[in-house]
Amino acid sequence: MEIVEIKRQTLVKEVSNQLAKAIRNGFTGPDGLLPSERRLAAQFGVSRPVVREATKMLEFQGLVEIHQGLGIRVVDRLYAPLSAAAKLLLPDDMERLRQSLDVRMVLEPEIAKRAAERATEQGIAKLHEIQRLLEAASSLEEAMEADIAFHSHLAEISGNNLFGIMLDSIADLGRESRRATMSEVGFERAFRQHAVLLSAIEKGDVSAAEQAMRDHICAAVHDLIAHLEMGDN
């Protein structure tokens, strides 16, 4: 009985791995949906329960979302397991936000420094494009997404894919903290701080880029603390 279970779990893992690889290679329909469970079972030559367990494994990893009656949709939420763990281990919302900013304070100045070293004309042009989106934002949601995109692209420019994955892993927390602070101080300050950072990156000034990012995160910490104190009064 144990041997059968081991074989089954090995098969589930193998199907999960193959399906993940296929997804990364564009194995989706135009609507972002995977083929039906029945068709996947036929394609992989396994039973439907094996496919069901394999797709549940991918859902936990943040690669797909399973909607009963609608199908299996490919998503980009690889950070989902970490976000769920953070909420479980740090149930206090405000403490979770404080600690996420601590992580950013350690991580993002290094990202900015490397971005200043390695930025290409194309990478800098993309940052300017995102800056224009932030400047033109007419809602809190638009401003938050532009802000997150700016930091995410800096991680891409840095040349280390893991930096981007680590930022993505706390992206949900980043949205929460930005919602708390931007609603108080507006979007303009983030735009100005990004402009200082972008100028340093364009010049290839590593020290200035690192310091600009440190100042930017420090301001976010200050704004969050002020927001919390206001909530206590």
Side-chain angles (χ1 to χ4, degrees):
M1 193 67 180
E2 291 179 358
I3 294 174
V4 171
E5 181 63 21
I6 289 171
K7 287 182 178 179
R8 178 185 176 84
Q9 291 306 313
T10 300
L11 186 58
V12 167
K13 187 172 181 180
E14 179 62 26
V15 171
S16 175
N17 289 341
Q18 288 189 33
L19 188 52
K21 183 177 180 180
I23 289 171
R24 287 193 293 271
N25 289 330
F27 180 60
T28 59
D31 53 3
L33 293 174
L34 292 178
S36 67
E37 190 179 273
R38 185 188 303 277
R39 286 183 59 193
L40 287 173
Q43 285 178 281
F44 285 103
V46 296
S47 66
R48 289 179 65 181
V50 168
V51 169
R52 193 172 302 127
E53 289 185 45
T55 52
K56 285 181 179 177
M57 186 178 293
L58 294 181
E59 184 175 40
F60 177 76
Q61 293 171 1
L63 275 175
V64 303
E65 287 179 346
I66 302 171
H67 300 280
Q68 199 68 28
L70 296 177
I72 306 165
R73 184 176 300 279
V74 173
V75 295
D76 183 12
R77 291 179 55 85
L78 292 174
Y79 55 83
L82 194 147
S83 295
K87 289 183 179 180
L88 181 64
L89 296 172
L90 295 167
D92 182 273
D93 292 342
M94 293 303 106
E95 181 59 24
R96 197 164 61 245
L97 296 186
R98 284 194 192 95
Q99 292 197 27
S100 73
L101 284 171
D102 277 346
V103 172
R104 290 182 61 195
M105 181 63 80
V106 172
L107 183 63
E108 294 208 59
E110 181 65 25
I111 289 175
K113 187 169 74 171
R114 296 190 185 199
E117 290 175 335
R118 303 171 183 177
T120 62
E121 288 185 8
Q122 183 180 5
I124 291 171
K126 179 66 174 178
L127 289 174
H128 277 291
E129 179 184 332
I130 297 170
Q131 269 287 79
R132 287 192 289 272
L133 291 176
L134 178 56
E135 185 178 28
S138 59
S139 69
L140 178 60
E141 294 299 322
E142 288 179 1
M144 287 193 306
E145 292 308 315
D147 194 0
I148 289 170
F150 187 90
H151 289 260
S152 178
H153 191 60
L154 280 177
E156 184 177 335
I157 290 173
S158 76
N160 187 320
N161 292 334
L162 286 178
F163 280 148
I165 292 172
M166 292 170 75
L167 282 187
D168 284 347
S169 73
I170 56 173
D172 284 349
L173 297 176
R175 286 182 178 87
E176 291 180 47
S177 63
R178 286 171 173 88
R179 185 172 287 109
T181 57
M182 282 184 162
S183 59
E184 300 282 350
V185 302
F187 322 147
E188 295 80 8
R189 186 160 66 183
F191 177 82
R192 292 195 304 270
Q193 291 168 347
H194 284 188
V196 173
L197 178 56
L198 180 48
S199 176
I201 290 171
E202 284 183 299
K203 296 172 183 174
D205 191 331
V206 171
S207 297
E210 182 181 18
Q211 187 59 51
M213 180 63 83
R214 198 173 300 280
D215 291 343
H216 184 39
I217 305 298
C218 278
V221 172
H222 178 272
D223 291 342
L224 181 62
I225 292 172
H227 174 79
L228 297 178
E229 289 176 347
M230 287 181 63
D232 292 337
N233 295 330

Short mmCIF file of all heavy atoms in Angstrom, two decimals, residues 71-97:
data_model
loop_
_atom_site.label_atom_id
_atom_site.label_comp_id
_atom_site.label_asym_id
_atom_site.label_seq_id
_atom_site.Cartn_x
_atom_site.Cartn_y
_atom_site.Cartn_z
N GLY A 71 -12.66 26.42 -15.10
CA GLY A 71 -11.44 25.85 -15.63
C GLY A 71 -10.21 26.25 -14.82
O GLY A 71 -10.31 26.80 -13.72
N ILE A 72 -9.05 25.98 -15.40
CA ILE A 72 -7.76 26.22 -14.75
C ILE A 72 -7.08 27.39 -15.47
O ILE A 72 -6.72 27.27 -16.64
CB ILE A 72 -6.86 24.97 -14.80
CG1 ILE A 72 -7.59 23.75 -14.24
CG2 ILE A 72 -5.56 25.21 -14.03
CD1 ILE A 72 -6.93 22.43 -14.59
N ARG A 73 -6.93 28.49 -14.79
CA ARG A 73 -6.36 29.69 -15.40
C ARG A 73 -4.91 29.87 -14.98
O ARG A 73 -4.57 29.76 -13.79
CB ARG A 73 -7.17 30.93 -14.99
CG ARG A 73 -6.69 32.22 -15.67
CD ARG A 73 -7.59 33.39 -15.31
NE ARG A 73 -8.96 33.17 -15.74
CZ ARG A 73 -9.40 33.35 -16.99
NH1 ARG A 73 -8.54 33.76 -17.93
NH2 ARG A 73 -10.65 33.14 -17.30
N VAL A 74 -4.06 30.17 -15.95
CA VAL A 74 -2.65 30.44 -15.66
C VAL A 74 -2.53 31.84 -15.08
O VAL A 74 -3.12 32.80 -15.60
CB VAL A 74 -1.80 30.33 -16.94
CG1 VAL A 74 -0.37 30.78 -16.68
CG2 VAL A 74 -1.82 28.90 -17.45
N VAL A 75 -1.80 31.98 -13.97
CA VAL A 75 -1.59 33.27 -13.32
C VAL A 75 -0.10 33.42 -13.00
O VAL A 75 0.68 32.48 -13.12
CB VAL A 75 -2.42 33.41 -12.04
CG1 VAL A 75 -3.91 33.40 -12.35
CG2 VAL A 75 -2.08 32.31 -11.04
N ASP A 76 0.27 34.59 -12.58
CA ASP A 76 1.66 34.86 -12.18
C ASP A 76 1.65 35.28 -10.73
O ASP A 76 1.74 36.46 -10.40
CB ASP A 76 2.28 35.94 -13.07
CG ASP A 76 3.74 36.19 -12.73
OD1 ASP A 76 4.32 35.38 -11.97
OD2 ASP A 76 4.30 37.20 -13.20
N ARG A 77 1.50 34.31 -9.85
CA ARG A 77 1.46 34.60 -8.41
C ARG A 77 2.42 33.66 -7.68
O ARG A 77 2.06 33.00 -6.71
CB ARG A 77 0.04 34.44 -7.87
CG ARG A 77 -0.94 35.50 -8.37
CD ARG A 77 -2.34 35.29 -7.81
NE ARG A 77 -2.37 35.22 -6.36
CZ ARG A 77 -2.43 36.29 -5.57
NH1 ARG A 77 -2.46 37.50 -6.09
NH2 ARG A 77 -2.47 36.14 -4.26
N LEU A 78 3.64 33.60 -8.18
CA LEU A 78 4.64 32.72 -7.57
C LEU A 78 4.94 33.11 -6.14
O LEU A 78 5.47 32.31 -5.36
CB LEU A 78 5.93 32.73 -8.40
CG LEU A 78 5.83 32.10 -9.78
CD1 LEU A 78 7.12 32.30 -10.55
CD2 LEU A 78 5.49 30.63 -9.68
N TYR A 79 4.63 34.35 -5.77
CA TYR A 79 4.86 34.82 -4.41
C TYR A 79 3.75 34.41 -3.45
O TYR A 79 3.87 34.63 -2.25
CB TYR A 79 4.96 36.35 -4.41
CG TYR A 79 3.77 37.03 -5.02
CD1 TYR A 79 2.61 37.27 -4.28
CD2 TYR A 79 3.77 37.41 -6.35
CE1 TYR A 79 1.51 37.87 -4.84
CE2 TYR A 79 2.67 38.02 -6.92
CZ TYR A 79 1.54 38.25 -6.16
OH TYR A 79 0.45 38.83 -6.73
N ALA A 80 2.66 33.84 -3.95
CA ALA A 80 1.49 33.57 -3.12
C ALA A 80 1.80 32.75 -1.88
O ALA A 80 1.31 33.06 -0.79
CB ALA A 80 0.40 32.89 -3.96
N PRO A 81 2.60 31.66 -1.97
CA PRO A 81 2.88 30.89 -0.75
C PRO A 81 3.55 31.71 0.33
O PRO A 81 3.24 31.57 1.51
CB PRO A 81 3.82 29.77 -1.26
CG PRO A 81 3.48 29.63 -2.69
CD PRO A 81 3.18 31.02 -3.17
N LEU A 82 4.47 32.62 -0.03
CA LEU A 82 5.13 33.43 0.99
C LEU A 82 4.16 34.43 1.60
O LEU A 82 4.18 34.68 2.81
CB LEU A 82 6.34 34.15 0.40
CG LEU A 82 7.30 34.76 1.43
CD1 LEU A 82 8.73 34.69 0.93
CD2 LEU A 82 6.94 36.21 1.75
N SER A 83 3.30 35.03 0.78
CA SER A 83 2.31 35.97 1.30
C SER A 83 1.39 35.28 2.30
O SER A 83 1.06 35.83 3.35
CB SER A 83 1.48 36.56 0.16
OG SER A 83 2.28 37.34 -0.69
N ALA A 84 0.98 34.06 1.97
CA ALA A 84 0.10 33.31 2.87
C ALA A 84 0.83 32.98 4.17
O ALA A 84 0.26 33.08 5.26
CB ALA A 84 -0.37 32.02 2.19
N ALA A 85 2.11 32.61 4.07
CA ALA A 85 2.89 32.29 5.27
C ALA A 85 3.07 33.52 6.14
O ALA A 85 2.99 33.45 7.37
CB ALA A 85 4.25 31.72 4.87
N ALA A 86 3.29 34.69 5.51
CA ALA A 86 3.47 35.92 6.28
C ALA A 86 2.21 36.26 7.07
O ALA A 86 2.29 36.67 8.24
CB ALA A 86 3.83 37.07 5.34
N LYS A 87 1.06 36.08 6.46
CA LYS A 87 -0.19 36.37 7.16
C LYS A 87 -0.44 35.40 8.30
O LYS A 87 -1.01 35.76 9.33
CB LYS A 87 -1.36 36.34 6.17
CG LYS A 87 -1.35 37.51 5.20
CD LYS A 87 -2.55 37.49 4.28
CE LYS A 87 -2.53 38.69 3.34
NZ LYS A 87 -3.68 38.70 2.42
N LEU A 88 0.01 34.17 8.11
CA LEU A 88 -0.17 33.17 9.16
C LEU A 88 0.77 33.42 10.33
O LEU A 88 0.37 33.36 11.50
CB LEU A 88 0.08 31.77 8.58
CG LEU A 88 -0.08 30.58 9.53
CD1 LEU A 88 -1.52 30.48 10.01
CD2 LEU A 88 0.34 29.29 8.85
N LEU A 89 2.04 33.71 10.03
CA LEU A 89 3.04 33.88 11.07
C LEU A 89 2.99 35.26 11.72
O LEU A 89 3.40 35.42 12.87
CB LEU A 89 4.45 33.65 10.50
CG LEU A 89 4.71 32.23 9.98
CD1 LEU A 89 6.05 32.17 9.26
CD2 LEU A 89 4.68 31.23 11.11
N LEU A 90 2.50 36.26 10.96
CA LEU A 90 2.40 37.63 11.50
C LEU A 90 0.96 38.11 11.32
O LEU A 90 0.66 38.90 10.41
CB LEU A 90 3.36 38.55 10.75
CG LEU A 90 4.85 38.26 10.91
CD1 LEU A 90 5.67 39.03 9.88
CD2 LEU A 90 5.31 38.63 12.32
N PRO A 91 0.06 37.65 12.17
CA PRO A 91 -1.35 37.99 11.99
C PRO A 91 -1.67 39.47 12.20
O PRO A 91 -2.68 39.96 11.70
CB PRO A 91 -2.06 37.12 13.04
CG PRO A 91 -1.01 36.78 14.04
CD PRO A 91 0.27 36.72 13.29
N ASP A 92 -0.80 40.18 12.94
CA ASP A 92 -1.02 41.61 13.15
C ASP A 92 -0.67 42.37 11.86
O ASP A 92 0.50 42.38 11.42
CB ASP A 92 -0.17 42.12 14.31
CG ASP A 92 -0.42 43.59 14.59
OD1 ASP A 92 0.25 44.42 13.96
OD2 ASP A 92 -1.28 43.91 15.43
N ASP A 93 -1.67 43.01 11.25
CA ASP A 93 -1.47 43.64 9.94
C ASP A 93 -0.35 44.67 9.95
O ASP A 93 0.49 44.71 9.06
CB ASP A 93 -2.77 44.31 9.48
CG ASP A 93 -3.86 43.30 9.16
OD1 ASP A 93 -3.52 42.11 8.97
OD2 ASP A 93 -5.03 43.70 9.08
N MET A 94 -0.36 45.55 10.95
CA MET A 94 0.61 46.63 10.97
C MET A 94 2.04 46.14 11.22
O MET A 94 2.99 46.64 10.64
CB MET A 94 0.22 47.67 12.03
CG MET A 94 -1.07 48.42 11.71
SD MET A 94 -1.01 49.28 10.10
CE MET A 94 -2.06 48.27 9.09
N GLU A 95 2.17 45.13 12.05
CA GLU A 95 3.51 44.58 12.29
C GLU A 95 4.03 43.91 11.03
O GLU A 95 5.22 43.98 10.71
CB GLU A 95 3.47 43.58 13.45
CG GLU A 95 4.81 42.95 13.79
CD GLU A 95 5.88 43.98 14.17
OE1 GLU A 95 5.53 45.10 14.62
OE2 GLU A 95 7.07 43.65 14.00
N ARG A 96 3.13 43.29 10.28
CA ARG A 96 3.52 42.65 9.02
C ARG A 96 4.02 43.71 8.03
O ARG A 96 5.01 43.50 7.34
CB ARG A 96 2.32 41.90 8.46
CG ARG A 96 2.67 40.87 7.39
CD ARG A 96 1.53 39.91 7.15
NE ARG A 96 0.33 40.54 6.68
CZ ARG A 96 -0.81 40.59 7.36
NH1 ARG A 96 -0.91 40.02 8.55
NH2 ARG A 96 -1.88 41.19 6.86
N LEU A 97 3.36 44.86 8.00
CA LEU A 97 3.80 45.92 7.10
C LEU A 97 5.14 46.50 7.52
O LEU A 97 6.00 46.78 6.68
CB LEU A 97 2.75 47.03 7.06
CG LEU A 97 1.38 46.66 6.48
CD1 LEU A 97 0.50 47.89 6.36
CD2 LEU A 97 1.51 45.98 5.13
#
